[in-house]
Amino acid sequence: ESGITRPKGYNVSFHCNPEMEKHHFGMTHPMKPWRLTLSKSLIYSYGMSFAMDNYISRAATYEELASFHSTDYLDFLGTVLPEPVPRDLENQNPDLKFNLGGSDCPLFDGLYDYCSMSAGGALDAARKITANQSDIAIAWGGGLHHAKRAEASGFCYINDIVIAILELLRFYPRVLYVDIDVHHGDGVEEAFFSTDRVMTVSFHKYDPNNFFPGTGALDDNGPKNEHNPGAHHAVNVPLNDGITDEQYDMLFNSIIGKIVEKFRPSAIALQCGADSLAGDRLGRFNLQVQGHGACVEFCKKMGLPLVLFGGGGYTPRNVARAWTYETSIAIGCQDNISSVLPQHTPWRDQFRQDTLFPTLEQILGEPRQNRNPQKRLQEIVQHVSEQLRFVQA
Ligand code: ZLS
Ligand code: CA
Ligand code: ZN
């Protein structure tokens, strides 16, 4: 009926948990798990569920979370309760245990369940890949790239990506991690700092004093001591406000193309944070749904097992557009779906415009000034090429 068909011999699996989406970080907090519900509503309205294997993901077990996180941290995360009364002005800066309970990483109702469900989806996706049952596995509820072994950071408590990559490493010699969230993928980078089996690449807004988390300079490429096999295996692409689809596409294809050639990964894990889109509440770029999706298309073309994670994304209508378009790319039906949002889409008025591909003018009125001179982008490509001379598959 929808005209969406399942290509023979190509399997996409979709992993989500409706219970996860009901959690709230607090009224003013930018992270809205409900964006996952809005995304799914659009994906299903296009009829894409008929072209994928759909799973309600499990919650990850304590042991699975402990494959990366310290048990001290997990035990604390499992027992902390939401604060009964919101912090008053005199108490803005309490001693935070494991960085939990501040305004970025608040304690909310069902926090542990929310975290274990996010990780469960990511892990289910990784296992469908290692079982050879999916070519692409999608976990839009994952992608929480800032969480550390024993510390919450930047809206992230459990690093589902690290846990999923550790699972991939049980079956594959090398995994490439790519991160197109507007923030630096510091938690994943740090977790694999000392191994040459994972190469991490993050594209992000970089301004050490004014933009979170402040790490990810061009020449931060992993600890360079003699005996560290992981040296040179962290690639950082620091960008400035206002980068466009054309520039991002050029950078992404040339950098990821070279890395795949040199590092020869056996699988790709792609974090698709949608806060790199134009008009994001926290982001600074001018990317459109097409340019963001082009990254997914490029990774798919590499022909390797691929796991897609969510991540940031703070303007829910645009998050839903991007992850819907990217789901269509995974399936391979992107040229067969209408750019007009289906009439029966629940919450259709949330989208403001009835198109999957709003123009920059529609999103922003006036596009943000582009502060990425072409010459700087060339220098970045040059640096990465030189860095790759130290990398041997
Ligand atoms: O990559 O910039 C910061 C840290 C602060 C400034 C903000 N204050 C509240 C805390 C201290 C230095 N934090 C960032 C974190 C961004 C995390 C991105 C996650 C991801 O997309 C992956 C999921 C930040 N930026 C903006 C805010 N925090 C922020 C904005 C607005 C609010 C409301 C709720 C809370 C306090 C008021 C808040 C945080
Ligand atoms: Ca990034
Ligand atoms: Zn982000």
Side-chain angles (χ1 to χ4, degrees), residues 179-181 183-185 202-204:
D179 184 318
I180 62 172
D181 190 288
H183 298 98
H184 177 223
S202 176
F203 298 76
H204 47 267

Side-chain angles (χ1 to χ4, degrees), residues 132-192:
N132 279 319
Q133 292 170 349
S134 298
D135 299 287
I136 303 184
I138 302 175
W140 294 136
L144 306 178
H145 58 179
H146 298 306
K148 311 284 157 42
R149 189 177 104 88
E151 194 181 287
S153 170
F155 318 163
C156 305
Y157 306 79
I158 290 290
N159 203 315
D160 59 285
I161 305 170
V162 172
I163 294 169
I165 292 177
L166 288 171
E167 181 66 23
L168 295 175
L169 288 173
R170 296 173 59 186
F171 296 83
Y172 299 117
R174 287 178 304 281
V175 174
L176 173 62
Y177 173 68
V178 184
D179 184 318
I180 62 172
D181 190 288
V182 75
H183 298 98
H184 177 223
D186 57 351
V188 183
E189 178 183 276
E190 185 185 296
F192 298 111

Side-chain angles (χ1 to χ4, degrees), residues 171-320:
F171 296 83
Y172 299 117
R174 287 178 304 281
V175 174
L176 173 62
Y177 173 68
V178 184
D179 184 318
I180 62 172
D181 190 288
V182 75
H183 298 98
H184 177 223
D186 57 351
V188 183
E189 178 183 276
E190 185 185 296
F192 298 111
F193 252 164
S194 56
T195 176
D196 55 4
R197 293 183 60 199
V198 178
M199 181 152 224
T200 63
V201 190
S202 176
F203 298 76
H204 47 267
K205 154 82 183 171
Y206 178 68
D207 182 349
N209 301 313
N210 298 306
F211 198 73
F212 187 86
T215 48
L218 185 59
D219 56 3
D220 288 347
N221 307 124
K224 280 189 191 85
N225 63 69
E226 276 287 340
H227 306 288
N228 178 18
H232 312 290
H233 284 68
V235 174
N236 280 304
V237 183
L239 302 168
N240 237 307
D241 289 5
I243 193 165
T244 63
D245 278 5
E246 294 74 45
Q247 290 183 316
Y248 202 92
D249 198 49
M250 178 285 283
L251 268 179
F252 190 89
N253 296 1
S254 113
I255 290 172
I256 301 303
K258 287 187 215 300
I259 289 176
V260 169
E261 195 179 295
K262 198 71 198 284
F263 180 62
R264 299 203 302 108
S266 7
I268 302 180
L270 175 59
Q271 196 268 20
C272 301
D275 48 6
S276 42
L277 292 170
D280 187 82
R281 180 172 165 200
L282 300 189
R284 310 290 186 88
F285 293 168
N286 276 337
L287 294 191
Q288 293 180 256
V289 171
Q290 297 93 317
H292 202 268
C295 301
V296 176
E297 200 155 8
F298 190 83
C299 288
K300 178 179 176 175
K301 281 202 191 114
M302 298 294 102
L304 297 165
L306 178 61
V307 184
L308 300 180
F309 302 91
Y314 306 100
T315 302
R317 59 182 178 279
N318 294 332
V319 176

Side-chain angles (χ1 to χ4, degrees), residues 75-138:
D75 293 342
F76 189 73
L77 196 65
T79 54
V80 281
L81 292 168
E83 299 176 86
V85 269
R87 219 180 280 296
D88 58 25
L89 285 171
E90 296 103 86
N91 194 14
Q92 280 296 318
N93 221 341
D95 309 308
L96 304 178
K97 239 179 150 178
F98 305 110
N99 196 32
L100 287 165
S103 46
D104 272 357
C105 303
L107 302 174
F108 56 82
D109 247 326
L111 175 60
Y112 189 89
D113 294 333
Y114 166 84
C115 295
S116 49
M117 287 188 265
S118 161
L123 203 41
D124 279 357
R127 293 213 174 109
K128 279 296 279 188
I129 294 287
T130 58
N132 279 319
Q133 292 170 349
S134 298
D135 299 287
I136 303 184
I138 302 175

